[in-house]
């Protein structure tokens, strides 16, 4: 696919699969309003990921019919739960209760967010079949292809790894609307340009009120940050984390709504979103726990300041939260070896705390200049909340908590900090993107602050509509207007790096490998250094490659073959490993990606001089060999 118009069917199917199953479930549970739509993606992914895993356990191949059946069952369970323990609004008929009634202002605001996201993301990516040149993309694309080829969408295929992101995309691609690469690019576009604006508008309306000014400001604010979604569209590439963060505002909006209304159906809707978030990226659950605790602490402190609660009760509650939090942080890695491994990640490039603060607050992460327009909006919005919308103070506290976590990850070398930041791999990029969740509310709050300032100007005092329009339009002017070029360069750099060594597989290289793949009988195994891009032959063409990620694993047959292939004549263990994987072909190339571990693939270098292989064809930078030595 070379043109985005060709991806419209894929965009529609991906959006429907992301929204519809979950929306039907939460509506059946009695969740209403924009919050129902905002939380539906997490519920949908939960239905797909959980039921696909269960289907594999009972020997059923996952497909559209099992998805339909799973959705019907989930809706039935939701209706039964409400009949047994819940209570619907008696004033609503069955049709209105299920379908709801869209609010025009919210629809327009979400549409604004969608259009801004598409306008800023699509040109930077270029073509829909453009490959983002980040190493994790190889693993994610290959896993989606594996799901499609095997019909096994389980969390354990091929090894245990959250399957929410991959299962949603693979399910949506079952009708054949797109190949894996363009389909995945469109999927990330759906997350950044549909799910994220819906969640942002829902969260801002819940935190700041449902006025038109706030609603439209929220739609515009969804495109205000570069840290999210722009950064995560290409860095890493952290697609599951992108999805988890994109769905967090919707879940957070429903959590806050349920806490205030105390309606059982809303709590059940929030609970229904938890499995999906966990099966996308577990740190989404940790983020919600963090936000819940911050909300509780901020609400207690506010109650003490207003005299609604005795200070000894405030101190008691905060002490309980502190004890539970510390015990949980210390115990979690002792219980979970996987979490302990995640918390062990270390990153180069520690910076002073002040530099880290400028990076996260001023938006200078991987960017040379401070985003002054965004900074001004954050200050204005925070000031407005502190002075005029104090019910939203917990959201300010959530943003401060994210900033503190970022500074810890970016500047601290203390071992204990990983107990807190390790849920995000101690990675400041992930934490900067998380800060955008409450940050959107702060930016949206800048609109009423600006309107109040503008109405002090005599010509605008009698023109409130003009003052409101100028205040709202200041958000895109100070963000997209001032840093539109920076935003484009960030995303363009991920998809079109200037150095050949940073390109995993160019279009010319893809064509070469496609022609060589046509010479390989279906099902035959192929081996080649991962750093030459050959692992993507599986995702792109269905070729059975031994390696499906960059770099080579350090254990098992993969490392035996990688280090001993050139000595197969004297290494029966290498021949045995090749036989187990039916490897009969090898790919060599002069191209080497920057993430190179030559010590893991020393036996796959310079195959022209290796005894036991026979050259078949050369195309561009790639040469295909037949394995004859085993």
């Amino acid at each position: 696919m070379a043109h985005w118009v060709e991806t419209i069917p894929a965009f529609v199917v991906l959006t429907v699969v992301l929204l519809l199953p979950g929306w039907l479930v939460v509506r059946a549970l009695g969740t209403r309003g924009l919050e129902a739509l905002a939380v539906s993606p997490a519920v949908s992914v939960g239905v797909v990921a959980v039921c696909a895993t269960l289907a594999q356990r009972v020997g059923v191949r996952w497909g559209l019919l099992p998805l339909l059946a799973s959705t019907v069952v989930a809706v039935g369970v939701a209706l039964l739960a409400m009949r047994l323990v819940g209570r619907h609004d008696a004033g609503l008929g069955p049709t209105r209760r299920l379908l709801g009634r869209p609010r025009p202002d919210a629809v327009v605001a979400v549409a604004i967010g969608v259009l801004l996201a598409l306008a800023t993301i699509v040109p930077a990516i270029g073509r829909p079949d453009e490959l983002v040149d980040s190493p994790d993309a190889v693993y994610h694309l290959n896993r989606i292809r594996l799901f499609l080829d095997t019909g096994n969408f389980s969390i354990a295929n091929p090894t245990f790894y959250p399957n929410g992101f991959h299962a949603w995309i693979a399910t949506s691609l079952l009708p054949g609307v797109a190949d894996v690469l363009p389909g995945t690019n469109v999927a990330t576009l759906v997350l950044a340009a549909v799910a994220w604006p819906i969640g942002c508008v829902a969260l801002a309306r819940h935190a700041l009120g449902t006025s038109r000014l706030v609603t439209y400001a929220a739609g515009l604010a969804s495109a205000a940050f570069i840290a999210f979604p722009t950064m995560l569209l290409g860095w890493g590439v952290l697609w599951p984390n992108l999805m988890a963060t994109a769905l967090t505002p919707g879940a957070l909006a429903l959590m806050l709504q349920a806490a205030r209304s105390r309606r059982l159906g809303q709590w059940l809707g929030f609970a229904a979103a938890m499995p999906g978030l966990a099966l996308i990226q577990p740190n989404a659950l940790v983020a919600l726990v963090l936000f819940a605790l911050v909300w509780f602490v901020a609400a207690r402190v506010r109650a003490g300041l207003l005299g609604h609660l005795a200070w000894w009760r405030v101190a008691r509650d905060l002490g309980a939260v502190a004890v539970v939090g510390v015990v949980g942080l210390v115990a979690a890695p002792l219980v979970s070896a996987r979490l302990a491994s995640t918390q062990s990640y270390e990153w180069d490039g520690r910076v002073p705390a002040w530099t880290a603060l400028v990076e996260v607050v001023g938006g200078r992460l991987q960017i040379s200049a401070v985003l002054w327009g965004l900074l001004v909006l954050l200050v204005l919005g925070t000031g407005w909340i502190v002075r005029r919308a104090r019910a939203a103070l917990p959201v300010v506290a959530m943003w401060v908590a994210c900033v503190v976590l970022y500074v810890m990850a970016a500047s601290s070398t203390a071992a204990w900090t990983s107990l807190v930041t390790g849920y995000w791999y101690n990675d400041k990029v992930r934490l900067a993107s998380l800060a955008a969740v409450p940050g959107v509310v702060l930016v949206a709050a800048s609109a009423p602050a600006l309107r109040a300032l503008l109405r002090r100007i005599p010509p605008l005092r009698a023109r409130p509509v003009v003052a409101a329009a100028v205040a709202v339009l200041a958000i895109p002017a100070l963000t997209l207007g001032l840093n539109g070029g920076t935003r484009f360069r960030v995303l363009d750099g991920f998809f079109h790096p200037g150095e050949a060594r940073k390109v995993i597989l160019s279009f010319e290289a893809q064509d070469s490998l496609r022609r060589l793949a046509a010479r390989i009988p279906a099902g035959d195994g192929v081996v080649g250094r991962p750093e030459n891009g050959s692992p993507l032959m599986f995702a792109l063409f269905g070729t059975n490659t031994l390696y499906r990620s960059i770099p080579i694993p350090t254990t098992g047959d993969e490392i035996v073959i990688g280090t001993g292939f050139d000595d197969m004549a004297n290494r029966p263990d290498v021949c045995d490993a090749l036989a187990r994987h039916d490897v009969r072909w090898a790919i060599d190339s002069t191209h080497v990606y920057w993430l190179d571990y030559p010590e893991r693939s020393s036996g796959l270098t310079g195959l022209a001089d290796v005894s036991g292989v026979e050259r078949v064809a050369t195309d561009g930078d790639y040469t295909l060999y037949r394995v004859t030595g085993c």
Side-chain angles (χ1 to χ4, degrees), residues 137 174 203 207 240 260 281 326 338 361 385 527 627:
L174 285 171
L203 179 58
R260 289 175 177 173
Q281 173 50 259
V326 171
R338 185 176 294 271
V361 177
I385 291 173
V527 67
V627 178

Side-chain angles (χ1 to χ4, degrees), residues 264-276:
L264 179 61
Q266 292 172 347
W267 276 118
L268 291 176
F270 175 72
M274 296 303 99

Side-chain angles (χ1 to χ4, degrees), residues 197-547:
I198 291 174
C200 289
V201 174
L203 179 58
R205 281 169 60 89
H206 184 77
L208 301 173
T210 59
S211 70
R212 289 182 179 178
L213 181 67
V214 166
T215 301
Y216 296 149
L220 293 165
S222 67
F225 290 83
I226 293 179
F228 191 85
T230 304
M231 193 74 71
L232 287 198
L233 283 167
W235 194 89
V237 58
L238 306 176
W239 282 330
N241 221 111
L242 166 77
M243 187 175 198
T245 304
L247 305 190
T248 297
L252 179 58
L254 183 57
M255 181 185 77
L256 296 179
Q257 185 187 54
R260 289 175 177 173
S261 71
R262 300 182 181 180
R263 291 174 63 96
L264 179 61
Q266 292 172 347
W267 276 118
L268 291 176
F270 175 72
M274 296 303 99
L277 290 173
L279 291 170
I280 295 167
Q281 173 50 259
N283 65 29
L285 297 185
V286 180
L288 288 173
V289 170
L290 169 68
F291 290 147
L293 291 177
V294 169
W295 173 81
F296 179 80
V297 169
R300 279 294 185 269
V301 172
R302 181 169 179 262
L305 292 173
L306 295 176
H308 297 164
L309 197 65
W311 277 108
W312 73 267
R313 294 182 181 274
V314 174
R316 179 200 63 188
D317 293 345
L318 299 189
V321 169
V323 170
V324 171
V326 171
V327 171
L329 289 173
V330 173
L334 299 177
V335 174
S336 172
R338 185 176 294 271
L339 173 60
S341 174
T342 299
Q343 292 181 334
S344 68
Y345 271 72
E346 295 183 3
W347 302 85
D348 297 329
R350 288 286 195 278
V351 297
W354 173 253
T355 302
L357 187 64
V358 173
E359 286 179 350
V360 63
V361 177
R364 211 179 68 176
L365 176 63
Q366 299 185 7
I367 296 170
S368 59
V370 171
L371 304 179
W372 290 108
L374 177 63
L375 182 58
V376 167
L377 295 174
L378 288 170
V379 171
L380 284 172
T382 302
W384 174 262
I385 291 173
V386 170
R387 295 182 64 249
R388 302 292 296 275
R390 294 192 178 102
L393 279 172
V395 181
V396 177
M398 294 173 191
W399 181 76
V400 172
C402 292
V403 171
V404 171
L405 288 177
Y406 181 97
V407 173
M408 289 171 59
S411 63
S412 176
T413 57
W416 67 268
T417 59
S418 65
L419 293 175
V420 184
T421 62
Y423 295 93
W424 294 272
Y425 296 82
N426 305 308
D427 177 21
K428 62 182 184 180
V429 175
R430 288 176 172 90
L431 290 167
S433 70
L434 182 64
V437 174
V440 165
V441 177
L442 306 189
V443 172
S446 70
L450 281 169
R451 180 182 60 179
L453 292 174
L454 290 170
R455 292 188 68 177
R456 295 181 180 181
I457 302 175
L460 295 177
R461 191 170 298 154
R463 296 179 174 84
V465 175
V466 175
V470 173
V472 166
L473 293 176
I475 293 176
L478 292 174
T479 54
L480 297 174
L482 290 183
N483 58 56
T486 301
R487 186 185 308 265
F488 179 90
R489 286 190 294 273
V490 167
L491 191 53
D492 178 70
F494 290 127
F495 281 86
H496 313 98
E499 299 179 50
R501 71 185 188 91
K502 292 186 178 180
V503 176
I504 299 177
L505 211 57
S506 66
F507 283 120
E508 294 77 13
Q510 291 180 37
D511 290 338
S512 294
L513 287 176
R514 182 182 290 106
R515 288 187 287 266
L516 293 177
R519 294 174 173 267
I520 301 172
D524 280 11
V526 182
V527 67
R529 292 193 70 213
E531 294 80 10
N532 65 29
S534 57
L536 281 167
M537 294 175 72
F538 179 62
L540 299 179
F541 322 125
T543 307
N544 181 21
T545 57
L546 174 66
Y547 301 123

